[in-house]
Amino acid sequence: MNKRIITLGEIMLRLSTPGHERFVNAQSYEVNYGGAEANVAVSLAYWGLSAAHVTSFPDHDIGKAAVNTLRFSGVDTSFIRYNEGRMGVYFVENGAMQRSSKIIYDRFDSAFAKVNVTDFDWEKIFEGADWFHWTGITPAVSQSAADLCKAAVQAASRLGVKISADINYRRNLWQYGKGPMDIMPELIKPSHLIIAGLTDFENCMGITETDYLQACEKAKTICPSLKYVSTTHRDSISTSENNLSGVLWNGESILESKSYEMTHIVDRIGGGDAYMAGLIYGLLNSDDQNALDFAVAASVLKHSIPGDANFVSVDEVNQLVEGKNVGKLLR
Amino acid sequence: MNKRIITLGEIMLRLSTPGHERFVNAQSYEVNYGGAEANVAVSLAYWGLSAAHVTSFPDHDIGKAAVNTLRFSGVDTSFIRYNEGRMGVYFVENGAMQRSSKIIYDRFDSAFAKVNVTDFDWEKIFEGADWFHWTGITPAVSQSAADLCKAAVQAASRLGVKISADINYRRNLWQYGKGPMDIMPELIKPSHLIIAGLTDFENCMGITETDYLQACEKAKTICPSLKYVSTTHRDSISTSENNLSGVLWNGESILESKSYEMTHIVDRIGGGDAYMAGLIYGLLNSDDQNALDFAVAASVLKHSIPGDANFVSVDEVNQLVEGKNVGKLLR
Amino acid sequence: MNKRIITLGEIMLRLSTPGHERFVNAQSYEVNYGGAEANVAVSLAYWGLSAAHVTSFPDHDIGKAAVNTLRFSGVDTSFIRYNEGRMGVYFVENGAMQRSSKIIYDRFDSAFAKVNVTDFDWEKIFEGADWFHWTGITPAVSQSAADLCKAAVQAASRLGVKISADINYRRNLWQYGKGPMDIMPELIKPSHLIIAGLTDFENCMGITETDYLQACEKAKTICPSLKYVSTTHRDSISTSENNLSGVLWNGESILESKSYEMTHIVDRIGGGDAYMAGLIYGLLNSDDQNALDFAVAASVLKHSIPGDANFVSVDEVNQLVEGKNVGKLLR
Amino acid sequence: MNKRIITLGEIMLRLSTPGHERFVNAQSYEVNYGGAEANVAVSLAYWGLSAAHVTSFPDHDIGKAAVNTLRFSGVDTSFIRYNEGRMGVYFVENGAMQRSSKIIYDRFDSAFAKVNVTDFDWEKIFEGADWFHWTGITPAVSQSAADLCKAAVQAASRLGVKISADINYRRNLWQYGKGPMDIMPELIKPSHLIIAGLTDFENCMGITETDYLQACEKAKTICPSLKYVSTTHRDSISTSENNLSGVLWNGESILESKSYEMTHIVDRIGGGDAYMAGLIYGLLNSDDQNALDFAVAASVLKHSIPGDANFVSVDEVNQLVEGKNVGKLLR
Amino acid sequence: MNKRIITLGEIMLRLSTPGHERFVNAQSYEVNYGGAEANVAVSLAYWGLSAAHVTSFPDHDIGKAAVNTLRFSGVDTSFIRYNEGRMGVYFVENGAMQRSSKIIYDRFDSAFAKVNVTDFDWEKIFEGADWFHWTGITPAVSQSAADLCKAAVQAASRLGVKISADINYRRNLWQYGKGPMDIMPELIKPSHLIIAGLTDFENCMGITETDYLQACEKAKTICPSLKYVSTTHRDSISTSENNLSGVLWNGESILESKSYEMTHIVDRIGGGDAYMAGLIYGLLNSDDQNALDFAVAASVLKHSIPGDANFVSVDEVNQLVEGKNVGKLLR
Amino acid sequence: MNKRIITLGEIMLRLSTPGHERFVNAQSYEVNYGGAEANVAVSLAYWGLSAAHVTSFPDHDIGKAAVNTLRFSGVDTSFIRYNEGRMGVYFVENGAMQRSSKIIYDRFDSAFAKVNVTDFDWEKIFEGADWFHWTGITPAVSQSAADLCKAAVQAASRLGVKISADINYRRNLWQYGKGPMDIMPELIKPSHLIIAGLTDFENCMGITETDYLQACEKAKTICPSLKYVSTTHRDSISTSENNLSGVLWNGESILESKSYEMTHIVDRIGGGDAYMAGLIYGLLNSDDQNALDFAVAASVLKHSIPGDANFVSVDEVNQLVEGKNVGKLLR
Ligand SMILES: [Ca+2]
Ligand SMILES: [Ca+2]
Ligand SMILES: [Ca+2]
Ligand SMILES: [Ca+2]
Ligand SMILES: [Ca+2]
Ligand SMILES: [Ca+2]
Ligand SMILES: [Ca+2]
Ligand SMILES: [Ca+2]
Ligand SMILES: [Ca+2]
Ligand SMILES: [Ca+2]
Ligand SMILES: [Ca+2]
Ligand SMILES: [Ca+2]
Ligand code: NI
Ligand code: NI
Ligand code: NI
Ligand code: NI
Ligand code: NI
Ligand code: NI
Ligand code: NI
Ligand code: NI
Ligand code: NI
Ligand code: NI
Ligand code: NI
Ligand code: NI
Ligand code: NI
Ligand code: NI
Ligand code: NI
Ligand code: NI
Ligand code: NI
Ligand code: NI
């Protein structure tokens, strides 16, 4: 398969306390590099697609380590640039039972926030591309990042590249003087697929419908090329046990997946990105119901893997969809 | 808040096998320092109270490491003394599923067992103090420890400091020629709050009532200043899964907490001490039902944290009481 | 107790990814040495029987480390020999939740596959022996291994040593030009006890009955000295949660054990071998129902212990059989 | 001994690669909290003095962990405040042989850089204080930090508290529009003791003498209360092997220490701060030559300890000064 | 710089005991992937050249992990193929002092030994290539590997790609019925640069001269296109301390490098490959003496880094050549 | 070779801080089990002799772990008994450079100190034995231990078993009311070989000669069967660097070994025991000078290995004696 995907967004250094240790007691941090959009690229590259991630880093060894880690996963890093600014960091504390997991973000003034819009030639980047994916985090980071995102969306739209957007409204970002309603509607407009819950619809598109089907139909009136809207549903019994399912509106109706009981969660970070990647993969390769089922199963498997990246194969996801080999010892 | 708490008791070096490794196979031990009473001081200090712990250690680097660790948690260590004797040690093997956790104690002849009663000036220690907490472990350790405990209880009583006692009968201690009925009744008498189950009542106070309410009322007849009696109830489905609740007799009736299902227990040691601390904190700050609810929630959260110490904030406990944020990823 | 058991079979270097890490991301492997038959010897030696394991290794430090590790567990290694060939290796990836655990075998051309049949004097090995245990893995490895197994079975039979066989059909082995039906029937014939499921019966004995009782009775017609047939039943809800029970045919009827819910599985590898060892121990020491109950409880406890070896005491197994102390903190 | 020392300065989260791993390959970081001035407070507290450190942190769990860590070492943290801003971070890569160790700083926009000058009541802080220590790092961080430092120096001078300053010129700081010559001369003026090399003298005081004795005498003409000037001399044969000595000008002549060969350096960070602390301790307790010898020996021992903090006792330093017990196994 | 290098050779899973642990006691192994030729590609890619490595792996997760690790370092893996066979493994025990380091090879029957010669289109592989590098290990592995190497050398020669060969005679290989004199002379003949010591010359080229200059001149008579011959000289004072230097014959005379004292060796494996890479880099970018100096300095730095790969920058190597920053703390 | 050695003495749990961490900061301890006499048995068993160690342990899982660890090394543990008392513990802090390593002993009231003398049938233990080894630590531990040692020495002497004694005077022991001169002379008297320095001679035998040759000759007048006296000489340049040599008096003259420079010491504990084992091995297998050379080389290699046990082969020791392979990478 030779589909090509371009993703755009910041990658941060993730520092996680080991085991179930609390921040206040941590004697070491485990190192990962992650970002919502790059996590999507990693999944798709791992599944055999051609995926390139666009971002910028500080020009030091830790920035380079992040690039190397993307390459490890098979992502094309040739469009990544270096500029002034620091490496964004987020600290993760793994909860357990009734104790929640926590994230401390330390991402302001990052190289990506100070990205040079002119460092990126979108005509070149989109050569041969089939799909462009971005999230609502990027325009929330800084004016430069919003400008870069806008240039990318416009180029993708102009060049006929399908666009997916994970709206992902983050209240703690948006600190540079603009709000989501100033920026997001224009960016979302040319989307082919969006991931959004009701809160995202309201904050980023001004859609106040409280019925999901109606909200999707309203979104369609705003985004003429919109074909799909999707979201996951998570019941959190505890940090260690969640139930997960997903829905997909395909312009006609709302399809539903089965719900999975996840009873020994290892790491839920990146679960939404695994879903996003699964949906893109599925829609490029299969019918709507299969795409949704693939996306949810991919996300479930992510919860069993330490780190942001979803190192599972297409076969493993498909077997979970079919209920095969669950809990077996594969020799 | 400026309440001041004094706790008294031995602190041991805790050596735990990593992960779910058995003693026979352990290649390393994880280091903690813990003791039932000091664990209470740590919780209270962590919650913003002024807490001082009274104990003695051997005068070597490991004794000092224990002092430093108490200071880390914000406990006032200025009344700690050094004397002859060894560092008490306990070895912990973490079970899993149907395999029980195990403790091997190695605590005889410790510095605390050989403590010099005259090293401690209780008038000075109780200056500005509101509460004194001790447990039935201390008088069980040695005649010196029992004498020290008695001196403390008498001074607290004389100086109008409220007293709590976790009766905590330990059959394997009491090896110095005295039994609990020789020592405990006099020590318990001036208590404001006691933690006791029916077995504790029988062994340490000679109360043979089998109805908990009646046992509490009987205790009141022995201890004229007694205001509260409490205990927890634990159903152990397996090492990894317990249900926990608590009851509080307040002189009128028995209040009950909700029961929590704990399905991925990380470390249950110190769970009772977290409950004790929660009860003291709650009774100093709130009404009886809230105090009980706070205590049980504090204890539940302790089960998610490696080590004896309950590094959770007042906010986290209150949110669990209110059922907020359970299983969420807090950003 | 002074029963003596001889086991025969290959021991491999087991390399496991730490925690729930995937192969593709592993930065280290944890080291164990295991083999289905040696795991049985380890359990029995740990329970106080005299157990000797017969195998061969490459003559280098890692082969010696495997011998030392057997000695650690109390197994008599005096019959082990060294010959040309490599150390068989298997790589283990621990799954979690819906993600299965995986094994990559790398065992061809091992020293054991190239074993010199004449290096072993079975008359001497069986001196004082009460029981001989082998599995269907050995004759599947190579012609030399099959020849060695045959020599052992014949000697045991001739010398009146009781024989148990865990038929354990492995499709991926049997690569040296023979199939199981060429080799296994003759080897199984003198057995006193066999572990077999319906698939094993079919592949290794040509028994096509689909009712387990009938299959056992059919096996009895083939193996005149057969007294017991047994198998476990495992329901895999997920990698982290299985239910386990066992059945034992004793020539008259099929006895059943209770079913255990295992909800926080640490390591299931070696669970079948723990069951096998439990059955041998039980049949040597108790009645049929107790033997079965002991075997299942031993296997359950194995699932809580990292590595192949089942480091649990007879007391611990018996207490689980009786439902005592489950989930308690043993001080 | 009851001398009281106040130190002022930023504390950062230190993240070090394990062993001799490079940044690009690091899978985890070891956690420490360090800062030039706080390292001095830690040494002095560890040696039995009363030491309080003044700084500010972000109001989150990692800021609190830094406070706890200071308390662990016995430092009084009661004057520490929380304000807006991030936690400064520095990443450390341990070199070996001819490969240099590297530090990546990520400290801009920290809570300390944004410190509220009015949060600190210096009259209260200096109650009972004998000595105040600051370094040239603080005024280089931000205007607020420089203002805070100036307020502290002026109060110390006014209240008769002796002042030491480690001039420590850092070219990469000083990014807020001021240069060292704008700020430092006034701050240095009331010093009792300064640590400075010739470069520091030139950059921060405009002293261009190239003879160290003459430079010291010139400094005295600028700083009327100056009694001591000191610096260390380090020969770096390789990252793993350095020679270290020190000199002390006491207003009359330049005293010299012996030179130590350090041939298996574990961690050199904090070595200068250990020297500083040793000098303060020595000048408060002994004569000039002894103070210098104590300072150098303290610094040498620091190079054998992982982390910034110099956990060595006064006895250990004195024994090294006397050449006792070097390389012995102390039982 | 846009030079393109092609390397060919097997990559093995390297399993190293942690710290200075012996094989017999190892509880875990650290994971790396290495091979003499791939190590060269990694260095060159890390230094900014375009480097592609040609090899084959078994088609399982560990084979893929090796590919990912090469990608991490920036090596082009698009010509790598999968075929039957196992993953070659080598076990490393780190010595110390007078105790030597040890390697146990377990590489027979690997996928690379069974490589399909027709899976590789050398015309395509060498498109745009400037240099081809191979070593004497490859033709020693198997007939297939020797055939593949021959096809590569012939294509490179035909297409005008410069060839370097690290002759690297390994007595323990060559087990498939051929000896080095059967295979190597023809392969070496078209070389531009060879790395060879006197033993290599004798075993692989039949050159028995004992004077290095004469041996080089003799080699030139056999290899008409030969421009350079080089080798390193290592004095092993102990496992922890070696002296290293190099010589380069450039057709006219023998150039010598300085000799470096390496007194805290972290990992010497890959030191020769770092030298090889340094020489290729130097000869492509500089004059002969500079190339030699660069190569030796690169090799020295490798000895400070855990694992086979030499993660040092061109700047770091050049600074060591110039004697700058040695033993400094770089901020 | 079939010589059989019996050793007697306490084995303790050794808990070591990881890397160069100090006690006060240790978050974990590495686990080993060691004792001066058992370390000798381990070396000899590892070198192919038949070695049995006699001791007693507490009857719990950690006592059993110590037994298992001895079995791992091939030592016969069939004479080990269990009795009341605790497990002796010693804590080890690894120094570096000028910082000394430290041991904190916590061994009083151990099971061995309370050993039942009647649990050991020395006639049976010495069946087939050629050599008995004890040290001055045992009679210093308790009256029971001294009695046991005396019973063993008397039986060995009576049964014609050669006796070696490492006198090893420890000032901190001898706390049960007897001094070395009360006990040691009688025990030492029947020795064949003793290890003693001048201090040991004085404290344990009352020999005050200050010339080593004269002291040996004096010892001979006291011990009629004495054939050998030996001691090592250690120059401690630093914790990381020592020089080591040995001398052996053989009744005629004093033989000297070469002196080894050990420049990257990993773990010196057990170095003396490795020497002792080397001497026994050498005297049983070779001439006097070779025995001494073997002993010193064995001890040198021990310094490169973590833990008390000297896991080196006879070949490795002999190669160091011959100066072969030092610092090589053995493939
Ligand atoms: Ca630390
Ligand atoms: Ca996400
Ligand atoms: Ca070990
Ligand atoms: Ca408790
Ligand atoms: Ca690595
Ligand atoms: Ca098995
Ligand atoms: Ca990782
Ligand atoms: Ca410093
Ligand atoms: Ca293990
Ligand atoms: Ca190499
Ligand atoms: Ca800890
Ligand atoms: Ca020793
Ligand atoms: Ni878990
Ligand atoms: Ni888990
Ligand atoms: Ni986990
Ligand atoms: Ni967990
Ligand atoms: Ni768990
Ligand atoms: Ni756990
Ligand atoms: Ni679980
Ligand atoms: Ni677990
Ligand atoms: Ni596990
Ligand atoms: Ni070291
Ligand atoms: Ni080091
Ligand atoms: Ni280090
Ligand atoms: Ni070193
Ligand atoms: Ni090192
Ligand atoms: Ni190393
Ligand atoms: Ni070292
Ligand atoms: Ni080392
Ligand atoms: Ni070490």
Side-chain angles (χ1 to χ4, degrees), chain E residues 20-22 24-25 96-103 105 170 172 236-241 264 268-269, chain F residues 46 72 261-262 264-266 300-301 303-306 311-312 316 320 325-331:
Chain E
H20 299 294
E21 207 71 58
R22 299 224 70 176
V24 78
N25 241 348
M97 295 173 18
Q98 281 83 351
R99 177 166 62 83
S100 299
S101 291
K102 291 175 74 171
I103 296 183
Y105 284 103
R170 297 270 180 93
N172 296 332
S236 294
I237 292 124
S238 74
T239 297
S240 307
E241 184 172 357
H264 189 90
R268 65 174 271 186
I269 300 177
Chain F
Y46 208 73
F72 178 90
E261 298 185 2
M262 304 185 292
H264 189 89
I265 295 174
V266 170
V300 166
L301 289 172
H303 289 74
S304 75
I305 298 177
F311 290 117
V312 295
E316 288 172 316
L320 179 54
N325 286 334
V326 175
K328 296 289 180 265
L329 180 61
L330 305 179
R331 297 173 192 265

Side-chain angles (χ1 to χ4, degrees), chain B residues 47-228:
Chain B
W47 292 335
L49 278 71
S50 168
H53 184 67
V54 180
T55 192
S56 81
F57 284 116
D59 188 14
H60 59 42
D61 290 349
I62 298 176
K64 284 169 193 161
V67 173
N68 292 6
T69 301
L70 273 189
R71 288 197 305 222
F72 178 90
S73 301
V75 174
D76 177 352
T77 61
S78 56
F79 302 120
I80 293 176
R81 295 294 173 266
Y82 297 94
N83 55 256
E84 286 300 296
R86 50 187 294 276
M87 186 81 190
V89 178
Y90 67 109
F91 297 90
V92 177
E93 181 190 87
N94 294 306
M97 295 172 19
Q98 281 83 351
R99 177 165 62 82
S100 300
S101 291
K102 293 175 76 171
I103 296 184
I104 296 177
Y105 284 103
D106 177 20
R107 61 188 299 175
F108 292 109
D109 295 315
S110 68
F112 186 74
K114 302 181 174 180
V115 66
N116 299 317
V117 178
T118 55
D119 280 356
F120 302 88
D121 174 353
W122 289 104
E123 299 281 332
K124 181 130 188 281
I125 293 168
F126 284 131
E127 260 171 38
D130 299 284
W131 196 291
F132 172 61
H133 175 66
W134 65 281
T135 78
I137 296 168
T138 298
V141 160
S142 69
Q143 186 65 55
S144 298
D147 292 346
L148 182 65
C149 195
K150 186 171 162 185
V153 165
Q154 290 178 339
S157 181
R158 188 171 66 243
L159 297 164
V161 176
K162 279 182 183 157
I163 301 175
S164 59
D166 180 353
I167 295 188
N168 206 343
Y169 172 64
R170 297 271 180 93
R171 194 168 35 88
N172 296 331
L173 294 172
W174 295 105
Q175 309 233 343
Y176 65 94
K178 299 277 174 60
M181 284 303 294
D182 301 325
I183 304 274
M184 292 292 283
E186 181 183 5
L187 292 176
I188 295 169
K189 196 170 174 188
S191 298
H192 175 76
L193 159 65
I194 61 178
I195 304 283
L198 292 176
T199 314
D200 300 314
F201 272 136
E202 179 169 2
N203 285 294
C204 297
M205 297 181 73
I207 295 174
T208 53
E209 271 73 4
T210 57
D211 176 86
Y212 198 68
L213 176 57
Q214 291 176 358
C216 292
E217 288 170 347
K218 181 67 179 287
K220 171 75 181 175
T221 66
I222 299 173
C223 310
S225 58
L226 189 65
K227 290 286 181 297
Y228 295 103

Side-chain angles (χ1 to χ4, degrees), chain A:
Chain A
M1 174 171 175
N2 50 17
K3 296 289 182 183
R4 181 161 174 85
I5 315 296
I6 308 298
T7 56
L8 165 69
E10 183 168 13
I11 295 179
M12 290 181 283
L13 170 61
R14 168 182 159 170
L15 297 171
S16 317
T17 60
H20 299 294
E21 207 71 59
R22 299 224 71 176
F23 282 134
V24 77
N25 239 349
Q27 298 289 327
S28 66
Y29 287 113
E30 297 172 1
V31 170
N32 282 282
Y33 299 92
E37 307 84 1
N39 295 344
V40 171
V42 165
S43 274
L44 294 172
Y46 207 72
W47 292 336
L49 279 70
S50 167
H53 185 67
V54 180
T55 191
S56 81
F57 284 116
D59 188 14
H60 59 43
D61 289 349
I62 298 175
K64 283 168 193 161
V67 172
N68 292 6
T69 300
L70 273 189
R71 289 197 304 221
F72 179 90
S73 301
V75 174
D76 177 352
T77 60
S78 55
F79 303 120
I80 292 177
R81 294 294 174 265
Y82 297 94
N83 55 255
E84 286 299 298
R86 51 187 294 275
M87 186 82 189
V89 178
Y90 66 109
F91 297 90
V92 176
E93 181 189 85
N94 294 307
M97 295 172 18
Q98 281 82 351
R99 177 166 62 81
S100 300
S101 291
K102 291 175 76 171
I103 296 183
I104 296 177
Y105 284 103
D106 175 21
R107 63 188 298 175
F108 291 110
D109 296 316
S110 69
F112 187 75
K114 301 181 175 181
V115 66
N116 299 319
V117 178
T118 55
D119 279 357
F120 301 88
D121 175 352
W122 290 104
E123 300 282 330
K124 182 130 187 282
I125 293 168
F126 283 130
E127 259 172 40
D130 299 283
W131 196 291
F132 172 62
H133 175 65
W134 63 282
T135 79
I137 296 168
T138 298
V141 160
S142 69
Q143 187 65 56
S144 297
D147 292 347
L148 181 65
C149 194
K150 184 171 163 185
V153 165
Q154 289 179 339
S157 179
R158 187 171 66 243
L159 297 164
V161 177
K162 280 182 183 158
I163 301 175
S164 59
D166 180 354
I167 296 186
N168 206 343
Y169 171 63
R170 297 271 180 93
R171 194 168 35 88
N172 296 331
L173 295 172
W174 294 106
Q175 308 233 345
Y176 64 94
K178 298 279 175 59
M181 285 301 296
D182 301 325
I183 303 275
M184 291 293 283
E186 181 184 5
L187 292 176
I188 295 169
K189 195 170 176 187
S191 298
H192 176 76
L193 160 64
I194 62 179
I195 304 283
L198 292 178
T199 314
D200 299 315
F201 272 136
E202 180 169 1
N203 284 296
C204 299
M205 298 181 71
I207 295 175
T208 54
E209 271 73 5
T210 57
D211 176 86
Y212 198 67
L213 176 57
Q214 291 176 357
C216 292
E217 288 170 347
K218 181 67 177 290
K220 171 74 181 176
T221 66
I222 299 173
C223 310
S225 60
L226 189 67
K227 289 286 180 297
Y228 296 103
V229 183
S230 182
T231 192
T232 54
H233 178 72
R234 181 188 295 270
D235 286 317
S236 294
I237 292 125
S238 75
T239 296
S240 307
E241 185 172 357
N242 290 183
N243 296 337
L244 189 77
S245 59
V247 295
L248 176 65
W249 173 83
N250 61 1
E252 296 174 5
S253 62
I254 288 186
L255 308 178
E256 294 183 9
S257 81
K258 67 170 285 193
S259 175
Y260 290 89
E261 298 185 2
M262 303 186 293
T263 62
H264 189 89
I265 294 174
V266 170
D267 189 336
R268 64 174 271 184
I269 300 177
D273 311 324
Y275 179 80
M276 183 80 239
L279 211 47
I280 295 173
Y281 185 89
L283 292 173
L284 285 169
N285 285 280
S286 185
D287 68 30
D288 295 351
Q289 183 67 47
N290 283 345
L292 174 62
D293 293 345
F294 188 90
V296 177
S299 184
V300 166
L301 289 172
K302 168 62 205 60
H303 289 74
S304 75
I305 298 176
D308 282 41
N310 192 19
F311 289 118
V312 294
S313 68
V314 170
D315 274 2
E316 289 173 315
V317 180
N318 280 329
Q319 285 177 7
L320 179 54
V321 169
E322 297 165 26
K324 281 187 195 157
N325 286 334
V326 174
K328 297 287 178 267
L329 181 60
L330 305 179
R331 298 172 191 265

Side-chain angles (χ1 to χ4, degrees), chain E residues 118-131:
Chain E
T118 55
D119 280 355
F120 302 88
D121 175 352
W122 290 103
E123 299 282 331
K124 183 130 186 282
I125 292 168
F126 284 131
E127 260 171 39
D130 298 283
W131 195 291

Side-chain angles (χ1 to χ4, degrees), chain E residues 211-253:
Chain E
D211 176 85
Y212 197 67
L213 175 58
Q214 290 176 358
C216 291
E217 288 169 347
K218 181 66 179 289
K220 171 74 181 175
T221 66
I222 299 172
C223 310
S225 59
L226 190 66
K227 289 288 180 296
Y228 297 102
V229 183
S230 182
T231 192
T232 53
H233 178 73
R234 180 189 295 271
D235 286 317
S236 294
I237 292 124
S238 74
T239 297
S240 307
E241 184 172 357
N242 290 184
N243 297 336
L244 189 78
S245 59
V247 295
L248 176 65
W249 174 81
N250 62 1
E252 297 174 4
S253 61

Side-chain angles (χ1 to χ4, degrees), chain A residues 331, chain C residues 36 39 170 269-273:
Chain A
R331 298 172 191 265
Chain C
N39 295 344
R170 297 272 180 91
I269 299 178
D273 311 324

Side-chain angles (χ1 to χ4, degrees), chain C residues 86-243:
Chain C
R86 50 186 294 276
M87 186 82 189
V89 177
Y90 67 108
F91 297 90
V92 176
E93 181 189 84
N94 295 306
M97 294 173 17
Q98 281 83 350
R99 176 166 62 82
S100 300
S101 291
K102 293 174 76 170
I103 297 184
I104 296 177
Y105 284 103
D106 176 21
R107 62 189 298 176
F108 291 109
D109 296 313
S110 68
F112 186 75
K114 301 180 175 181
V115 66
N116 299 319
V117 178
T118 56
D119 280 355
F120 302 88
D121 175 353
W122 289 103
E123 300 281 332
K124 183 131 185 280
I125 292 168
F126 283 130
E127 260 172 38
D130 299 284
W131 196 290
F132 172 62
H133 175 66
W134 65 281
T135 79
I137 296 169
T138 299
V141 160
S142 69
Q143 187 65 55
S144 298
D147 292 347
L148 181 65
C149 195
K150 185 172 164 185
V153 164
Q154 290 179 339
S157 180
R158 187 170 66 244
L159 298 164
V161 176
K162 278 182 183 158
I163 300 174
S164 59
D166 180 354
I167 295 187
N168 205 344
Y169 171 62
R170 297 272 180 91
R171 193 168 36 88
N172 296 332
L173 295 172
W174 294 106
Q175 308 234 344
Y176 65 93
K178 298 276 174 59
M181 285 301 295
D182 301 325
I183 303 274
M184 291 293 282
E186 181 183 6
L187 292 176
I188 295 170
K189 195 171 176 187
S191 298
H192 175 76
L193 160 64
I194 63 178
I195 304 283
L198 293 177
T199 315
D200 299 315
F201 272 137
E202 179 168 2
N203 285 295
C204 298
M205 297 181 71
I207 295 174
T208 53
E209 272 73 5
T210 58
D211 175 86
Y212 198 68
L213 176 58
Q214 291 176 358
C216 292
E217 290 170 346
K218 181 66 179 289
K220 171 75 180 175
T221 66
I222 300 173
C223 310
S225 58
L226 190 66
K227 290 286 180 298
Y228 296 103
V229 182
S230 183
T231 193
T232 53
H233 178 72
R234 181 188 295 271
D235 286 317
S236 294
I237 293 125
S238 74
T239 296
S240 308
E241 184 171 357
N242 289 185
N243 296 337

